């Protein structure tokens, strides 16, 4: 059992999605616009992580979200067997404490159940190294920097 002060993994739904808004200010200050895009896409129905195999998770400390990460069909791959890591973000005070790894293990485990490949894009060298420690291979393809084959 996790200690009471450990973040809990949740799956976002319409009932708890409001929690994502708590990540917006810090993510924008960090120069990341994808949390705002996540909120806009969810609210418009463009992307609610609702297709088979898709999910959006968060790590929440009591009621305070500290991290987010999702799994979508990869819209750039042209292949229904290819998934994409989406919108992985950890608040600064919680970085380098294993939270991104918890989310990525969850994403990878779910992807293995529905897909044959998992892709992502990052132009951040430190993030690239992190993904490589999880088994991703660096690639040079349009719209993907890393791939994990199952």
């Amino acid at each position: 059992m996790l200690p009471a002060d450990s973040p809990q993994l949740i799956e976002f739904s319409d009932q708890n999605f409001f929690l994502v808004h708590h990540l917006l200010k810090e993510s924008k200050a960090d120069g990341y616009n994808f949390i705002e895009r996540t909120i806009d896409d969810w609210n418009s129905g463009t992307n609610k992580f609702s297709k088979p195999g898709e999910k959006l998770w968060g790590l929440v400390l009591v009621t305070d979200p500290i991290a987010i990460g999702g799994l979508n069909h990869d819209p750039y791959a042209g292949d229904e067997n290819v998934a994409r890591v989406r919108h992985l973000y950890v608040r600064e005070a919680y970085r380098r404490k294993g939270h991104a790894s918890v989310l990525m293990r969850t994403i990878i485990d779910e992807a293995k159940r529905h897909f044959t490949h998992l892709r992502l894009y990052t132009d951040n060298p430190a993030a690239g190294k992190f993904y490589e420690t999880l088994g991703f291979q660096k690639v040079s393809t349009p719209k993907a920097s890393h791939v994990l084959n199952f």
Side-chain angles (χ1 to χ4, degrees):
M1 188 167 177
L2 294 171
D5 61 347
S6 290
Q8 301 300 305
L9 180 70
I10 65 167
E11 184 179 332
F12 284 107
S13 66
D14 285 332
Q15 288 70 40
N16 63 9
F17 188 77
F18 68 92
L19 293 170
V20 175
H21 291 263
H22 297 273
L23 299 170
L24 185 58
K25 184 177 179 181
E26 183 176 321
S27 67
K28 287 182 84 170
D30 285 345
Y32 300 113
N33 294 320
F34 57 82
I35 299 298
E36 182 172 35
R37 202 167 51 244
T38 302
I39 292 168
D40 292 346
D41 287 351
W42 186 284
N43 290 336
S44 72
T46 302
N47 185 6
K48 293 184 97 166
F49 296 82
S50 57
K51 293 179 184 173
E54 295 185 340
K55 292 186 181 177
L56 181 64
W57 293 275
L59 288 173
V60 178
L61 193 55
V62 186
T63 59
D64 188 25
I66 63 166
I68 189 171
L71 175 66
N72 278 135
H73 287 261
D74 190 330
Y76 308 111
D79 182 342
E80 287 295 310
N81 293 310
V82 180
R84 189 171 192 87
V85 175
R86 298 303 293 266
H87 311 305
L88 185 69
Y89 178 77
V90 179
R91 288 179 48 203
E92 187 173 354
Y94 299 94
R95 293 179 189 157
R96 292 176 177 51
K97 297 182 179 182
H99 301 304
S101 294
V102 168
L103 283 172
M104 284 304 302
R105 279 194 302 272
T106 302
I107 291 166
I108 291 168
D109 288 347
E110 186 69 18
K112 284 179 180 178
R113 297 178 61 224
H114 302 278
F115 303 98
T116 58
H117 309 286
L118 180 58
R119 299 187 338 156
L120 61 91
Y121 176 80
T122 184
D123 58 5
N124 179 319
K129 288 189 186 309
F130 165 70
Y131 292 120
E132 290 162 22
T133 67
L134 297 173
F136 283 83
Q137 300 295 312
K138 189 172 175 127
V139 295
S140 295
T141 61
K143 303 290 186 177
S145 63
H146 291 80
V147 66
L148 181 62
N149 300 310
F150 304 126

